[in-house]
Structures are given as structure tokens and as C-alpha cells.
Amino acid sequence: MFILLYLACPQPTPAPSICTVDPNWITRPKMPTEVAKSETFCDFYQFSWQAFLAQMSPTSAGEEPLFFENRVYAPGGGDNQCNQKPITGLLGAASQLNARRIKPSRFEDVQADGHALYDQNGSIIFYNAFYSQQLCSSTKKGFASGTLEAKVSWKILKEGTHHDYFVMNATIPNTPEEVTLGLVGLHLAIWTPHHPEMIWVTWEHKLNAPLCNGSSMEKGWAFASDNASTCLNSAPTPQSGPPNKACESFEFNVPPTFTEGKAPIKSSPVNVCREYALGNQDGVAVNGNDNEANRKAIQQLNEQLVGEKGFLTLLPPENPLSVWSNYEMVGGLWTKNGADSGTPPIPSKQGKANKKSPQRGSLELANMTMETFQQGGQSFVPNCFGCHNYKKSDPLSVSHIQNKLLPQEPKNAEKKKFETPLQE
């Protein structure tokens, strides 16, 4: 009888796994070098947040984040920039600002297409690209350890208004106008020995854009009018994806029509909404990527760091890391075992979903300030690997700027080498 009663007793429910933050990322920041061997979703996002906080911590030499010790890419700086004097710091970033209208042939940071993006004040968005000094030690065999690339987007802040952005002062290119710019988006692409395809992770200001499904707050977005976001709330959709057709008049995610490279600094605002929260469609991906586990890991780390009682949120205002409580990670992307990125596991204009795709993480990853008009199944580039395709046979090509940084071999170098007669 005792045995029967014992077997009938309910067993304790296992505690749900939680992806935890290490406070040392804030108090003793250190750039990580590799993802933990278990390579869970949590491992990748812990690596990413640790890297972000290490990059955004102030240097011992001054108040600027370590991030700005990386070199600034100069779109007009010609080839072999690694052998030129480094451009660094906030002043360096301000000197190399580019409006989102520049031609792809000169600067790949047009964010997946050549369309301009305007905030709700009618101002165009500006961009920088950065790369670590280690990239300059790379060879055709692959990137050097410590290689990092980044893209940053900035919006003009209205003078005299309260803001909660990381800021820098700058003069608008080709004008005498001096402004304060607020950081609205940041991509990090981090090379590691086990992931030479790079780990692609993105952060945004929390008030960039609402979700298209109508589940976000109604007002106060940088890239959606109050009326437009209210419409989303009044016409919610049951699943993630494009907004309800009831809000068609607000032309969400429709780019302005200008000749490429000719968009003005000021124009009509664009309404933007995010089709996929944290970069995942609903349900399980066709290639076996666990979308729910991916979202859960991101959500748990965001809550612990930038939630209402998060580590960054509770920092005193004078702490330079406190400003990052206004930002959140919106997703990451990598491949299983560092494999070639191949075709995507989600349908797009490039073709059908690849069920054997090695891509993992946020498969629909898009930053609303960078891939604004390349979201969902109608996109040519449904995530980072749509443009930054990785092949082990040509490992440097995953970077679009390396051919402006490093000396390049002539395209016919290999052919010439084999045509040269052997010497006895």
C-alpha cells in the first residue's frame, strides 16, 4: 500500500530553463572569443550580449565606448584602407556619415536596397560602418581572430526635446547644419574560429517601430505615426506577418520613390512596422530551427538586462552603460557548425524554402532601420545571409567591405600561376 501511494504522489515539475545574464558582463566587461561548446540558442545570445556590453563599455582612456576604437569605413576612401591612417572615435564616425541614399556600388550599407528611410520628423536616416583592426590582418585563407564588423544607423533628434538615445554631434554632409544624432540601430557581425560565417546580431532602440500584428503600444514610435500605429491596434492579426489590409492607407513598409542616390535630406515620413518579432515566423521552421526556443532565449536576456527591473535599467543615470537600457536585441543569425550559409529555410523571391538549410537563429532577421523594406516572403534577402552569403571556399566574401580594406589578388592570379612554366 505504501508503494502504491508513493507512486501516486505527483512528481515535482522541473524548473523551466532560463537563459541567465552574468553581472560580470557589466561590472567587468570582456570581449568573448567563442560561443560555449554546447551551442544552444542561449549560448549564442549570451555571447552576443556579452560582446555588445564589452563594446559599449567606456574605455579607461576616456568616456567613449570601446566600440569607437574600431576603425570607421570610409565609402569614398578608395581601396586598401587598412594601409591608410585609421579613422576612429565619435569624431571619425561623424566625418563619415552617409545618408540612406548612397549607391550600393560605393557603400554596401544601403541596407539591402537603394531606398531612403525617413523618420516621423521627415528627416533621412544616416549610417556608419565599422571594422576592427584585426580585420586588417586577414588573408585570403580567412579572417584574423578578433575580426568584427558593424553597421550603425542614426536619426536627427529635434533640438530641445527630451531623448533617451546614445548620441553624437555631427554636421550633416554637404550642409552647414549641425545636429545631434541618436543611435537607432546597430548590427554586429563577429567572427569566431568555430563560426567563420560570423555571428550576425542586431539591436534597436525600443521605440523604433511597432509590430505589424497590432500587439504593440499605440503611440510614440520613431518610424510610425500615431494614427498609423493606432490603426494596427484596432485591426490586429492573429499571426505575425504583414499588417492588416484595413491599414493599407498608411502604406506600411512602402519605400519612397526617388531615383537611387537622389533622395533629399527632408521628405515625407515613412510608416514602418515589424513583420516578425525577434526575427522568427510562427511555428517550427522547415529546417528544424526551433523558433520558439530562439525567441525565448532572446526574451529572457532582454528582460534581465533592459526590462523594468533589468541590470541596465537599474543603473544610475550617471553610469555610461545606463543609456543602453533603452535598446533591445531583436535577433541573431548563424549556421550550424559554421557551415556554408546556402539558401534560406524560408520562402522568398530567391526561391522556395530550403529544408536542409544550416541557418539557425532568427531566420527572418531584419533591423527596421536597415532592412526596412526587405521583410517577409516578398523579400529578395529575407535575412543577413541573403546578402552576406558565406562559402568556405571564399571566406572573405561574406564581408562586403573587405575588398576596400585589404590588398586584392587579381582575378586571374590563379590562372597566371598555373600558366607559368615550371623552372628546373
Side-chain angles (χ1 to χ4, degrees), residues 70 87 89 148 150 171 176 184 215 251 280 329 364 387 395 402 416:
N70 292 304
I87 303 170
L148 172 151
T171 300
V184 286
S215 63
E251 297 185 317
N280 283 127
M329 178 193 287
E364 293 270 13
C387 284
Q402 57 82 22
K416 284 186 176 181

Side-chain angles (χ1 to χ4, degrees), residues 304-320:
Q304 293 170 70
L305 282 163
V306 299
E308 185 178 352
K309 296 182 179 180
F311 285 106
L312 295 177
T313 308
L314 297 179
L315 289 175
E318 61 270 18
N319 188 312

Side-chain angles (χ1 to χ4, degrees), residues 90-91 94 167-171 179-181:
L90 282 167
L91 290 176
V167 300
M168 76 172 178
N169 297 320
T171 300
V179 297
T180 300
L181 295 173

Side-chain angles (χ1 to χ4, degrees), residues 149-170:
E149 288 190 12
K151 304 173 187 177
V152 175
S153 52
W154 309 87
K155 73 183 292 286
I156 297 175
L157 301 177
K158 292 185 71 173
E159 188 175 353
T161 57
H162 173 75
H163 61 77
D164 51 13
Y165 296 86
F166 178 85
V167 300
M168 76 172 178
N169 297 320

Side-chain angles (χ1 to χ4, degrees), residues 271-289:
N271 285 316
V272 175
C273 67
R274 189 188 312 277
E275 291 195 15
Y276 298 103
L278 308 179
N280 283 127
Q281 294 183 6
D282 301 320
V284 179
V286 298
N287 68 333
N289 186 71

Side-chain angles (χ1 to χ4, degrees), residues 98-112:
N98 284 275
R100 182 169 166 169
R101 61 183 180 188
I102 195 167
K103 293 182 179 180
S105 59
R106 182 163 170 249
F107 189 37
E108 70 92 20
D109 202 7
V110 294
Q111 313 315 326

